[in-house]
Amino acid sequence: MAGIASGFGHSYFTKCVQEGKPTQDLWQAMAEAGYLGVNLPEEYGGGGLGLWALAAVAEELAAAGCPLMLLVVSPAIVGNVLAKFGTTDQKDRWLRGIASGETKCAFAITEPDAGSNSHNISTVATRDASGYRLNGTKTYISGVEDAEAILVVTRTDKDSTGKGRLSLFMVDADDPGLERQYIETALEAPESQWMLFFDNVEVSEDRRIGEEGNGLRIVFEGLNPERIMGAAMCIGIADYAMAKATKYACERKVWGVPIGAHQGVSHPLAQVKVELELARLMTRRACAEYDAGVSAGEASNMAKYAAAEAGIRVLDQAMQTHGGNGFAREYGLADLWFVMRLLRTAPVSREMILNFVAEHSLGLPRSY
Ligand SMILES: Cc1cc2nc3c(=O)[nH]c(=O)nc-3n(C[C@H](O)[C@H](O)[C@H](O)COP(=O)(O)OP(=O)(O)OC[C@H]3O[C@@H](n4cnc5c(N)ncnc54)[C@H](O)[C@@H]3O)c2cc1C
C-alpha cells in the first residue's frame, strides 16, 4: 500500500488539485490492489478485514502526501452503513461498486441551520404514492462531483420532544430536482464542497436504508468510522510532515551545524512526536473496539480529537522547522495546512467531542 501511494506522492496530488481533476489514477491503482474495500464484507467483493485495515490505507495514503476525503466518505461511512443496514438488493446495487472502487458515494447530513445539532435537521422526506419526496438543503457535502449516489439523512417525523426521527436514503447524484452549488473554500484538496438543494426529489422506498424513523442509530453507526478515518488521515499527514521536518532539520545548516542539533528545533519536534504516537495508539484502540463490535464512541471521539490536535501541531512545527521554505510550494507542507486544520472542525468539531467526553466519560451535565 505504502508503495502504491508513494509511487504517486504529493506532487501527483498537488497536480490533480491545481488542475481541478480527481485523483482517479491513484484511486484506480488502489482499487486494483483491493485496498478500497478492505473493510467491507468479502461476499460483496471486499477484503473482510475490518475498519483497522481501511484506517491503515487512509494513514498510508496521507503519509505519502495524498490525503483523500473520499476514502472517509465512500467506503468508510456509506460502505459501513450499507454493509450493516442495507438489504441484499441494496448491497448488490451499491456495496459491490464501493468495494471495487467503481462506485463513489457522498454522505450528506450537515445543514445550514441545524449545524452540529443533527436532531434539528429540516430536510424532510414525505411519503407519497411512489415512495418519498425529499425537500431541503444540505451544506459542505464533499465529493459530490465524483459521486454516483449520496447517502442523505432526512427527517420523516418528530418524536414527542420535537427531535427529528431520521431516515436515510440513497439518492442518485443526478436525480431530477437535486441541484448543487459549488462552495469555494481555501482547501487544497481534490474533493470539492457543495451545497445541495432538494426540490421534490422522488425517491423510491427501496432506496431507504433501514427502517423509517430509525436513522439516528444508523447515523451513529456511520459516525464512529468517520471519526476513526479522520484520525487516521491526521496521523498520516503528520507522519508525512514529520518525515520532511526531520530530513530538513538534519540537512539544513545555518550556524555550521544542522538546525536539528539546536534544542529549540529538536525539542518541539520530539514533543509533537510523543503527541502523535499517543494519538496513533488511541486510533488503534478505537479501530479495535469498533471491529470487536463494542461501543467505540468514546475511543473514536478521543482518537479524532487527539489526532487532529497532534496533527496540527506536527504540521505547524514542520513548517516552522523549514523557516521561510515552509511556505514554498516546492516543500509541500503549506498546501496541506487547511486540510489538516479542517480536521479539528470536521467531521465533528473539537467542541462537540469535548461535550461528548464531558457528558459520557465524566458524567457532567450538558448545557444544550
Ligand atoms: C471542507 C468540509 C467538508 C465537509 N464535508 C462534509 C460532508 O461530506 N458531509 C457532511 O454531512 N458534512 C460535511 N461537512 C460539515 C462538517 O461536518 C461541519 O462543518 C461540522 O460538523 C461543524 O458543523 P457546523 O459547520 O454547522 O458548525 P456549527 O454547528 O455552526 O458550530 C460552529 C462552532 O460552534 C461550536 N459549537 C456548536 N455547538 C456547540 C455546543 N453545544 N457546545 C460548544 N460548542 C459548540 C462548534 O464546535 C463550532 O466551533 C464538511 C465541512 C467542511 C468545512
Side-chain angles (χ1 to χ4, degrees), residues 109-125:
I109 183 166
T110 306
E111 296 189 357
D113 293 335
S116 302
N117 183 2
S118 307
H119 296 294
N120 213 19
I121 62 169
S122 57
T123 296
V124 64

Side-chain angles (χ1 to χ4, degrees), residues 287-316:
C287 287
E289 289 186 3
Y290 182 82
D291 288 335
V294 298
S295 167
E298 183 183 74
S300 306
N301 274 296
M302 288 184 175
K304 192 272 176 183
Y305 175 94
E309 296 308 310
I312 290 169
R313 280 165 57 77
V314 170
L315 181 53
D316 185 46

Side-chain angles (χ1 to χ4, degrees), residues 31 59 67 164 184 206 232 276 300 322 335:
E59 198 177 304
E184 200 167 338
D206 62 1
L276 171 60
S300 306
H322 279 72
D335 62 290

Side-chain angles (χ1 to χ4, degrees), residues 107-110 115-116 139-142 187 193 342 345-349 351-352 355 368:
F107 174 64
I109 183 166
T110 306
S116 302
T139 192
Y140 287 109
I141 309 307
S142 306
L187 291 173
Q193 316 305 323
L342 166 71
T345 303
V348 58
S349 70
E351 293 73 27
M352 293 313 291
N355 283 334
Y368 56 99

